């Protein structure tokens, strides 16, 4: 049994190429669950795209990327002397570190005198970074490869970015997260002699939703009478068919069920009870016979029990059914690239 991510390879790669064309200098972000595809596969895709650099989220993700991608790897989390000082990858000349504080930079350079860095500025995101007032001096001492800014989701970033660019006029390269193509064009017009390099994950890997689909196997389909109890929780069910499909909590199924709840009341219940408890009251993300049936009870670890209403023809064991999932929290059993 399996919950697999099926990918139309040609279409997916066309979309990647389009994104790269629209945002030259783009740095592919390859982190976490690899946007559902896995980080190794995405490193191989970045290799195909021919980009000179990819970005990983954490130092824990660095060895894998260095092994599967042949060129530079930027680490998005800041280098911290207290945490990362002993990592063997610090000496690798393909690694570009993010620094936010002078002490960390000093420590890093004590390990590797010519360690490559970018300096992060503290934006309205408020996560990591050197505040704007101290940034110009730090950029000068760091002798890095650019300044990086991580912006909140949404648009309207040009004014904030411009304040940084004007405050550090000698810095040529700016790595930017969560800027639109229109914002990039605007920045390039305002500052024609600077280089703006967007760091992009979601739009690059998940930009064309028609290029991929999660599908689950039907493992069982059985008529069920009104009031019959099933599952760990022995809840009475309405009449219809009980359909067991592959895909459970270990795959990330129902991670977003509160948002998928049909009504405000259901959403309120979902928030009050937690996503999994609420899951049986909301539509499941599986499409069976043209409908999205409810969970008979919260998803199990590797499969889910669905209640197909009366009047809907049951699927056959072995059929596959589409699953609507947020891929940033999906862990499919396999990626089937065609
Ligand atoms: C995750 C991340 C990105 C990429 O975000 P997407 O929304 O997936 O494009 C860019 N920059 C930083 C610092 C990140 O943590």
């Amino acid at each position: 049994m399996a919950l697999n991510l099926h990918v139309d390879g040609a279409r997916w790669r066309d979309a990647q190429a389009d994104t790269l064309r629209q945002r030259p200098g783009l740095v592919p972000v390859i982190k976490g669950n690899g946007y559902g595809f896995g980080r190794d596969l995405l490193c191989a895709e970045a290799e195909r795209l021919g980009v000179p650099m990819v970005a990983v989220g954490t130092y824990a993700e660095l060895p894998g990327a260095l092994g599967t991608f042949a060129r530079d790897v930027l680490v998005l989390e800041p280098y911290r002397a207290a945490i990362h000082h002993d990592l063997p990858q610090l000496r690798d000349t393909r690694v570009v570190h993010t620094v936010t504080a002078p002490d960390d930079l000093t420590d890093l350079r004590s390990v590797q005198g010519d360690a490559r860095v970018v300096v992060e500025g503290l934006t309205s995101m408020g996560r990591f970074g050197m505040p704007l007032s101290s940034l110009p001096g730090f950029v000068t001492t760091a002798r890095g490869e650019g300044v990086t800014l991580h912006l909140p989701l949404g648009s309207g970033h040009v004014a904030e970015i411009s304040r940084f660019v004007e405050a550090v006029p000698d810095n040529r390269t700016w790595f930017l997260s969560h800027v639109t193509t229109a914002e990039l064009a605007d920045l390039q017009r305002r500052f024609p002699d600077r280089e703006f390099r967007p760091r992009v994950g979601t739009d690059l890997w998940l930009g064309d939703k028609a290029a991929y689909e999660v599908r689950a196997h039907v493992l069982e389909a059985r008529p069920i009478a009104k009031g019959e109890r099933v599952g760990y929780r022995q809840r009475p069910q309405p009449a219809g068919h009980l359909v067991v499909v592959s895909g459970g909590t270990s795959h990330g199924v129902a991670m977003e069920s509160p948002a998928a709840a049909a009504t405000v009341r259901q959403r309120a219940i979902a928030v009050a009870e937690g996503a999994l408890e609420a899951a049986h009251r909301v539509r499941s993300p599986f499409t069976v016979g043209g409908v999205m049936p409810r969970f008979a009870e919260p998803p199990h670890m590797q499969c889910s029990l669905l209640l197909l209403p009366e009047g809907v023809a049951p699927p056959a064991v072995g059929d596959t059914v589409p699953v609507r999932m947020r891929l940033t929290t999906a862990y499919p059993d396999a990626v089937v690239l065609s």
Side-chain angles (χ1 to χ4, degrees):
M1 70 176 191
L3 176 133
N4 291 339
L5 173 58
H6 294 259
V7 186
D8 176 341
R11 180 160 184 158
W12 188 44
R13 287 173 180 144
D14 280 351
Q16 292 172 22
D18 275 351
T19 308
L20 186 58
R21 220 172 294 121
Q22 285 160 18
R23 305 183 209 188
L26 174 155
V27 179
V29 172
I30 298 173
K31 66 181 181 185
N33 69 337
Y35 294 83
F37 300 89
R39 297 198 304 272
D40 285 353
L41 193 152
L42 294 189
C43 279
E45 290 299 310
E47 196 75 50
R48 285 174 63 99
L49 279 169
V51 292
M53 175 188 273
V54 298
V56 295
T58 65
Y59 279 92
E61 296 171 347
L62 189 51
L66 288 170
T68 41
F69 183 74
R71 291 178 286 275
D72 292 348
V73 182
L74 171 69
V75 187
L76 294 172
E77 76 169 332
Y79 175 80
R80 294 298 193 197
I83 305 169
H84 305 122
H85 178 84
D86 295 324
L87 293 178
Q89 290 82 30
L90 301 187
R91 294 198 166 73
D92 194 312
T93 55
R94 288 195 287 132
V95 177
V96 181
H97 306 270
T98 298
V99 289
T100 61
D103 288 354
D104 292 323
L105 177 65
T106 305
D107 180 85
L108 176 60
R109 291 259 164 84
S110 76
V111 178
Q112 177 70 18
D114 58 356
R116 300 167 61 192
V117 299
V118 293
V119 172
E120 178 153 1
L122 186 65
T123 67
S124 53
M125 178 80 183
R127 197 164 74 173
F128 312 119
M130 169 68 79
L132 179 58
S133 54
S134 331
L135 189 65
F138 188 40
V139 170
T140 306
T141 20
R143 288 170 287 109
E145 304 186 9
V147 175
T148 129
L149 300 175
H150 186 203
L151 287 308
L153 299 174
S155 57
H157 301 126
V158 171
E160 183 170 5
I161 295 167
S162 297
R163 274 200 301 282
F164 278 92
V165 176
E166 280 156 8
V168 197
D170 295 337
N171 181 68
R172 185 177 138 70
T173 302
W174 292 81
F175 294 90
L176 304 174
S177 302
H178 298 137
V179 288
T180 63
T181 42
E183 288 173 329
L184 280 172
D186 195 357
L187 286 163
Q188 202 65 75
R189 255 195 313 278
R190 285 180 190 220
F191 306 102
D193 56 346
R194 310 304 150 80
E195 180 189 33
F196 296 101
R197 303 194 60 188
R199 300 181 297 190
V200 185
T202 305
D203 286 356
L204 177 63
W205 307 121
L206 303 175
D208 181 358
K209 290 186 171 27
Y212 51 85
E213 182 174 68
V214 179
R215 290 179 211 150
H217 278 131
V218 173
L219 307 170
E220 172 75 299
R222 198 174 50 242
I224 189 169
K226 181 170 164 32
E228 199 177 324
R229 292 174 185 269
V230 298
Y232 288 124
R233 292 155 206 249
Q234 292 292 293
R235 291 202 173 107
Q237 303 293 328
H241 281 87
L242 184 79
V243 177
V244 185
V245 289
S246 52
T249 52
S250 71
H251 302 95
V253 165
M255 292 295 290
E256 54 180 336
S257 58
T263 66
V264 172
R265 183 167 173 276
Q266 284 179 339
R267 248 178 253 139
I269 292 169
V271 169
E273 298 186 358
L276 287 182
E277 257 313 295
H280 75 286
R281 295 169 195 252
V282 301
R283 282 186 301 148
S284 77
F286 299 86
T287 299
V288 184
V291 304
M292 289 176 99
R294 285 163 189 263
F295 285 111
E297 73 167 351
H300 299 176
M301 193 165 180
Q302 295 183 300
C303 64
S304 294
L305 275 54
L306 313 178
L307 201 285
L308 199 60
E310 263 184 322
V312 181
V317 170
D319 283 357
T320 59
V321 297
V323 195
R324 198 192 57 198
M325 290 182 75
R326 182 168 62 191
L327 281 195
T328 47
T329 53
Y331 291 85
D333 292 307
V335 180
V336 183
L337 200 62
S338 59

